[in-house]
Amino acid sequence: DRRRRGLENLPKLSVDKGIRRLDLTALKKYKRHFGLKTAPTSSNKEDLQAAVIRHFATTLRVDEGKTERSFMKLVANQRVHT
């Protein structure tokens, strides 16, 4: 029950469903590759999913407005050059 509440309190991300589909081996590889810190005994799938979701929420922030402006500028420049 505690684990379920832990997952429910995580930020909602568009990648959430994809992360939840990863198998335990993939989650462990992600944890090792990015050096995620988890409790020493947290090798179960739910704990690793929570760690990966937190990692996405804290390190992969995107300024949507800036991204949209850059995209529109790129499209405009391509129109000029074609």
Side-chain angles (χ1 to χ4, degrees), residues 6-82:
L7 285 174
E8 289 171 356
N9 293 332
L10 293 172
K12 298 296 180 205
L13 304 170
S14 59
V15 296
D16 220 7
K17 291 179 185 174
I19 291 171
R20 293 179 194 279
R21 290 186 194 143
L22 294 175
D23 65 8
L24 187 57
T25 303
L27 291 165
K28 285 181 178 181
K29 286 180 182 179
Y30 186 97
K31 175 187 171 186
R32 186 172 49 250
H33 179 78
F34 287 102
L36 302 182
K37 304 293 182 207
T38 59
T41 59
S42 65
S43 61
N44 66 47
K45 189 172 181 177
E46 292 83 12
D47 289 343
L48 291 173
Q49 286 172 334
V52 170
I53 291 169
R54 277 193 299 275
H55 179 251
F56 264 82
T58 59
T59 61
L60 302 175
R61 296 178 190 246
V62 175
D63 180 347
E64 293 175 10
K66 183 177 180 181
T67 302
E68 289 173 5
R69 287 188 299 276
S70 296
F71 176 73
M72 295 306 287
K73 185 176 179 180
L74 176 70
V75 170
N77 286 338
Q78 286 180 347
R79 286 184 184 167
V80 169
H81 291 86
T82 57

